[in-house]
Amino acid sequence: MRDEQGIEAEATELLQTLIRNRCVNDGTVASGQETRSVSTLEAYFNGAGVACERYTSEPGRESLIARIEGSDPKAPRLLLMGHTDVVPVSPDGWKRDPFGGELVDGVVWGRGAIDMLNLTSTMAVATRRLAKDGFRPRGTLIYLAVADEEAGGNLGAGYLVDRRPEMVKADYVITESGGVPIPTRDGHVLGVTVGEKGANWRHLTVAGTPGHGSRPFRTDNALVTAAIIIQRIADYRPAARILDAWKNYITALELDPELTAALVDPDRVWKTARDMDNAALAREAHACTHTTFSPNVAHGGSKVNVIPDRVEIQVDIRALPGITSEEVEAMLKEAMGDLADRVTIDTPPNRRRGGSLSTIDTPLMRALSRASGALMPGSTVVPAMTTGGTDARFFRWKGIPAYGFGLHSTRIPYTEYPIMFHGHNERVDTESLRLSAMMWEALCRDFLG
Ligand SMILES: [Zn+2]
């Protein structure tokens, strides 16, 4: 019991420090400055018998690798990966200081509390405890704290996978996100993220002809054309695809059987999502079964009395795993119809990305099930997919199974989590920190032997 309290206190303190380090990544190369949290983690591991190395992609953009070397080169290598950067905040919406790391009634508040400094912290706690305990596994344990996940990972996980592949060579990877208990009649379901969609963004430039705003009749106004294009993209309905990860996940939730059947039927899922009362489930069901197109930015026009000749539209496109960049572009053109030839389509750098999917039936999945089942009796792990992006994709693209997991208590209802990711009032209870840290430790002992 004292040991469990010790784990909880240690993970809480480390999380608070990581939150206070304020490694805010706004997408610019000069932001993030994850070197602060790399120093925190290096100091934390100091003297514990963990070999640490730091890697710099750009000034201040550092990642840390810590290893416990295995004795058997044939045994599996497991990489636990957390990111140290966080997204910006709108402080006005917060009830507490977003970078204060305050502990209030067993809950730690702050940006990154669930995305994903909680896991970065608990993975470190487990690694350090194992090392201090003299854990000499057969398989190698690699702890990786990366920069830049929130801006696409090219200065963190992507950099290491490309430039230092020998340092992050692993047979299995675990990172965010999953493990928030969802209540069902048969106990709690814990999602293990096995796949994600690909961010396949596009910038559209709509052309028109400039003219005097006092004579708009029969002119070629780029803004008016853009408005029609935006509406067409918003209305576009690509065919649905049902992936096993979606089917398994929605079945495990034990919803009404008729509803479940409709949500895994490619011909019925769209109408079902349109008509259901639960908007959150509707959005999830739609996004997990379709490539989505969201026109989110528009810039155009220069002056109130000038008919604009140029409008830029940015579309956030998320492709299902298995959909190619060429297919995405064909869908976009189909959506725009006869206006497609009025538009130049550009892809921002590093955004021609496919989705990624890991195999589900692996020894690691079974070990995760054992480790979490022991801490949360009656729970079941279920493969799931995420509509967002994580650093897992860099490994999946190389054929390495990469899962998203963690273990949370039931104190904060699962319905709160989607609101807290990148939202206001991000927070985590300390029991969840204890559960995750204990789960990582048990998993490593079980899986790496
Ligand atoms: Zn994250």
Side-chain angles (χ1 to χ4, degrees):
M1 192 61 197
R2 179 174 300 167
D3 198 30
E4 293 185 10
Q5 284 169 354
I7 295 172
E8 190 164 318
E10 202 169 321
T12 301
E13 199 184 319
L14 184 56
L15 170 62
Q16 289 175 299
T17 308
L18 296 178
I19 290 171
R20 290 168 189 153
N21 283 345
R22 206 187 267 256
C23 299
V24 177
N25 185 349
D26 64 13
T28 61
V29 172
S31 71
Q33 296 300 305
E34 296 88 345
T35 187
R36 291 190 288 266
S37 286
V38 163
S39 295
T40 296
L41 290 163
E42 194 178 44
Y44 175 72
F45 284 126
N46 187 25
V50 186
C52 288
E53 278 187 76
R54 303 168 77 127
Y55 291 90
T56 308
S57 54
E58 290 285 341
R61 310 306 300 271
E62 279 191 290
S63 299
L64 179 86
I65 301 176
R67 316 167 69 90
I68 300 178
E69 216 58 56
S71 59
D72 179 356
K74 288 200 213 75
R77 286 155 299 190
L78 175 63
L79 191 154
L80 300 179
M81 173 170 62
H83 63 80
T84 52
D85 60 326
V86 296
V87 293
V89 296
S90 306
D92 291 349
W94 284 68
K95 293 186 191 139
R96 306 253 166 210
D97 176 359
F99 298 105
E102 287 174 64
L103 175 62
V104 185
D105 189 22
V107 174
V108 180
W109 290 67
R111 176 55 90 218
I114 57 161
D115 182 12
M116 64 172 290
L117 305 179
N118 56 328
L119 302 179
T120 308
S121 146
T122 54
M123 287 168 169
V125 168
T127 304
R128 182 174 182 268
R129 282 175 54 87
L130 287 164
K132 285 197 81 166
D133 205 31
F135 180 54
R136 292 287 165 264
R138 289 197 306 114
T140 296
L141 171 63
I142 306 162
Y143 170 84
L144 176 58
V146 290
D148 197 39
E149 193 276 342
E150 296 292 359
N154 291 311
L155 302 178
Y159 174 88
L160 290 164
V161 168
D162 281 352
R163 308 278 195 89
R164 310 308 296 256
E166 73 291 349
M167 289 308 299
V168 292
K169 200 166 172 219
D171 299 295
Y172 295 94
V173 173
I174 306 179
T175 185
E176 63 187 341
S177 56
V180 176
I182 302 174
T184 71
R185 281 187 299 280
D186 298 333
H188 285 98
V189 164
L190 306 168
V192 178
T193 304
V194 298
E196 66 191 46
K197 298 177 82 180
N200 229 286
W201 299 346
R202 292 291 186 280
H203 290 186
L204 314 180
T205 307
V206 183
T209 310
H212 200 289
S214 66
R215 291 190 294 270
F217 189 58
R218 293 176 60 179
T219 55
D220 175 24
N221 185 324
L223 192 58
V224 175
T225 309
I228 301 167
I229 288 172
I230 290 168
Q231 190 62 53
R232 286 184 182 180
I233 292 172
D235 291 343
Y236 181 60
R237 278 182 55 188
R241 278 199 192 188
I242 307 297
L243 300 169
D244 283 347
W246 170 249
K247 200 179 209 164
N248 294 340
Y249 172 72
I250 206 73
T251 305
L253 293 189
E254 297 183 345
L255 305 170
D256 171 65
E258 182 47 37
L259 176 61
T260 302
L263 289 176
V264 300
D265 180 345
D267 296 326
R268 288 193 289 158
V269 61
W270 188 87
K271 273 204 181 71
T272 308
R274 182 194 61 187
D275 296 338
M276 70 168 62
D277 291 332
N278 182 339
L281 181 61
R283 284 184 202 124
E284 186 179 17
H286 176 264
C288 289
T289 55
H290 295 81
T291 293
T292 55
F293 297 77
S294 189
N296 293 344
V297 176
H299 296 296
S302 57
K303 196 162 180 292
V304 70
N305 61 353
V306 178
I307 290 170
D309 62 344
R310 186 188 156 90
V311 172
E312 191 196 279
I313 305 166
Q314 297 179 16
V315 192
D316 182 356
I317 305 175
R318 304 290 174 130
L320 284 174
I323 298 282
T324 65
S325 203
E326 289 70 29
E327 288 172 290
V328 163
E329 203 134 322
M331 284 190 243
L332 186 58
K333 285 182 179 158
E334 185 184 46
M336 295 191 286
D338 61 352
L339 293 177
D341 56 11
R342 305 284 301 277
V343 173
T344 315
I345 304 175
D346 293 302
T347 309
N350 292 313
R351 284 299 170 189
R352 199 172 282 273
R353 287 179 155 165
S356 63
L357 203 55
S358 294
T359 47
I360 292 172
D361 186 19
T362 61
L364 180 63
M365 187 66 86
R366 292 187 281 280
L368 274 175
S369 169
R370 289 191 292 272
S372 53
L375 287 160
M376 189 170 283
S379 65
T380 319
V381 299
V382 174
M385 59 177 293
T386 176
T387 57
T390 74
D391 281 336
R393 63 176 173 268
F394 293 109
F395 293 90
R396 293 198 196 110
W397 286 337
K398 303 250 177 223
I400 299 163
Y403 298 144
F405 198 57
L407 188 57
H408 292 259
S409 81
T410 53
R411 177 164 172 187
I412 298 177
Y414 75 100
T415 46
E416 281 283 301
Y417 280 85
I419 304 164
M420 291 196 291
F421 272 90
H422 296 197
H424 301 318
N425 298 314
E426 197 179 338
R427 63 203 184 279
V428 69
D429 61 290
T430 59
E431 189 193 347
S432 291
L433 300 176
R434 175 177 62 77
L435 286 172
S436 275
M438 291 176 68
M439 187 269 300
W440 301 129
E441 192 175 333
L443 176 76
C444 291
R445 287 188 190 279
D446 175 336
F447 188 66
L448 298 172

